[in-house]
């Protein structure tokens, strides 16, 4: 008896026009169809065979599949093994402004020519975005920053030169606009911060803000905000505050999520960090 086919769609309320499909297929075949969105997929296991743009394609485990809006295609498992893949659908209304901010002219005409790619960086971008859609704790600010970095990489693939990142240094004059945005992030360290609110503080478009803020601080607004929260949480741990109170005080949904954010920055969990302090 053949194994069942599974199709799980996920859409986060924080991300207006983005949807994720995780599928496992054995004996199912897609009919010819097209999407209005950009479709970015990663074949996780098995092999996906399909016909698109006048050619037959095969996507092996680890490969990336990209369909532009209105690219007609079909699809099915190309072997007896189960085909398992994730596909992210991003509407042009969300991606195009990011592409324009990354330097793409006439983003409405942007197309990705290579349908199947063996690109580990592109794969990582797609899976990172997919993880944000799946994770209920993800913020809209984190998603916007991640999508912008993804758009920059797509632009780079097309040969668009990235703006030079000057970065902030002790020899560079302070910019009151970005210092004001920084102060806003500091003031709302415990709350959810939206990119729309930051753009109002800066009096510039949110996509232009993403690029300019990173050029100034060397981090996206979300990365800066997360870094600041983690540092304040570390200080609170040093003062003896409990893990649960620290997590809640600085806007982490629970201790587990706090752990996942803390360890990549300090190499230890919050509990291990505090235990080490107690021993010294």
């Amino acid at each position: 008896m053949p194994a069942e086919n599974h199709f799980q769609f996920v859409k986060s309320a924080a991300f207006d026009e983005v949807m994720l499909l995780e599928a496992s297929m054995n004996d199912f075949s897609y009919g010819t169809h097209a999407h209005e969105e950009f479709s970015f997929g990663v074949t996780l296991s098995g092999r996906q065979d399909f016909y698109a743009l006048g050619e037959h394609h095969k996507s092996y485990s680890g490969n990336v599949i990209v369909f532009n809006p209105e690219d007609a295609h079909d699809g099915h498992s190309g072997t007896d093994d189960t085909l398992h893949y994730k596909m992210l659908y991003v509407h042009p209304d969300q991606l195009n402004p990011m592409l324009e901010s990354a330097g793409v002219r006439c983003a409405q005409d942007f197309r990705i020519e290579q349908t199947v790619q063996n690109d580990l960086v592109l794969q990582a971008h797609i899976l990172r975005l997919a993880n944000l859609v799946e994770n209920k704790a993800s913020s809209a600010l984190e998603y916007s920053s991640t999508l912008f970095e993804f758009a920059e990489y797509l632009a780079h693939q097309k040969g668009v030169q990235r703006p030079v990142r000057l970065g902030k240094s002790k020899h560079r004059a302070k910019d009151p606009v970005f210092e004001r945005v920084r102060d806003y992030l500091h003031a709302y360290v415990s709350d959810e911060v939206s990119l729309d609110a930051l753009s109002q503080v800066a009096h510039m478009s949110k996509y232009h803000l993403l690029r300019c803020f990173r050029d100034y601080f060397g981090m996206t607004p979300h990365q800066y905000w997360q870094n600041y929260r983690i540092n304040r949480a570390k200080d609170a741990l040093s003062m003896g505050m409990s893990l649960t109170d620290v997590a809640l005080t600085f806007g982490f949904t629970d201790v587990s999520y706090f752990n996942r954010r803390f360890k990549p920055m300090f190499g230890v969990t919050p509990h291990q960090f505090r235990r080490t302090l107690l021993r010294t």
Side-chain angles (χ1 to χ4, degrees):
M1 181 177 178
E4 294 183 3
N5 303 297
H6 294 281
F7 303 89
Q8 179 67 53
F9 290 91
V10 182
K11 191 170 185 179
S12 171
F15 319 141
D16 292 336
E17 298 184 21
V18 177
M19 184 166 60
L20 174 67
L21 165 64
E22 182 166 2
S24 295
M25 294 166 44
N26 290 280
D27 58 356
F28 179 82
S29 296
Y30 288 108
T32 301
H33 64 287
H35 303 283
E36 295 180 347
E37 304 89 354
F38 285 94
S39 306
F40 302 101
V42 176
T43 303
L44 300 174
S45 62
R47 191 184 81 200
Q48 185 165 1
D49 291 7
F50 60 96
Y51 183 82
L53 303 174
E55 296 182 23
H56 291 282
H57 302 269
K58 300 181 187 297
S59 175
Y60 296 88
S61 179
N63 285 167
V64 169
I65 300 174
V66 180
F67 298 121
N68 300 287
E70 309 303 334
D71 281 354
H73 59 281
D74 57 18
H76 59 89
S77 177
T79 67
D80 292 333
D81 297 325
T82 299
L83 167 64
H84 182 203
Y85 70 94
K86 290 186 177 183
M87 184 71 75
L88 196 69
Y89 303 96
V90 184
H91 198 278
D93 288 350
Q94 282 211 326
L95 187 61
N96 287 352
M98 301 283 191
L99 291 169
E100 289 176 355
S101 185
V104 174
R105 296 181 180 178
C106 301
Q108 68 273 13
D109 299 324
F110 183 85
R111 286 183 59 84
I112 300 168
E113 302 302 330
Q114 192 173 349
T115 305
V116 178
Q117 304 183 34
N118 184 22
D119 186 327
L120 294 179
V121 177
L122 182 58
Q123 178 201 109
H125 277 292
I126 295 169
L127 293 179
R128 183 182 173 196
L129 281 165
N131 183 62
L132 291 181
V133 175
E134 293 173 314
N135 186 354
K136 294 181 180 180
S138 300
S139 69
L141 180 60
E142 181 176 13
Y143 171 74
S144 297
S145 298
T146 303
L147 183 60
F148 175 69
E149 292 174 339
F150 181 41
E152 273 199 320
Y153 185 73
L154 294 176
H156 178 65
Q157 275 194 326
K158 295 283 283 188
V160 177
Q161 295 298 315
R162 304 182 190 184
V164 177
R165 299 183 184 182
L166 298 176
K168 179 182 167 187
S169 74
K170 63 182 180 180
H171 304 297
R172 182 179 177 186
K174 289 186 176 181
D175 188 316
V177 172
F178 300 111
E179 296 293 320
R180 189 165 65 245
V181 174
R182 179 205 62 186
D183 291 343
Y184 182 91
L185 290 171
H186 288 187
Y188 289 91
V189 65
S190 302
D191 303 316
E192 189 66 46
V193 177
S194 71
L195 187 58
D196 287 329
L198 295 181
S199 69
Q200 291 176 10
V201 172
H203 303 296
M204 65 175 60
S205 77
K206 55 187 179 181
Y207 306 117
H208 187 55
L209 170 63
L210 278 172
R211 179 173 62 82
C212 293
F213 185 97
R214 191 196 54 199
D215 288 347
Y216 186 73
F217 284 106
M219 293 180 280
T220 64
H222 176 264
Q223 290 170 334
Y224 182 93
W225 183 60
Q226 196 73 265
N227 184 78
Y228 183 75
R229 289 201 300 166
I230 289 293
N231 275 303
R232 299 292 72 73
K234 174 179 68 68
D235 292 343
L237 287 172
S238 301
M239 298 295 292
M241 186 182 291
S242 73
L243 295 184
T244 301
D245 287 345
V246 170
L248 296 178
T249 298
F250 293 98
F252 300 97
T253 53
D254 52 40
V255 172
S256 177
Y257 182 55
F258 180 36
N259 285 341
R260 293 198 301 273
R261 293 299 187 179
F262 190 94
K263 188 171 182 178
M265 187 166 172
F266 293 106
V268 294
T269 67
H271 175 73
Q272 291 169 332
F273 171 79
R274 197 172 67 167
R275 188 175 60 188
T276 301
L277 283 179
L278 294 174
R279 289 177 176 174
T280 58

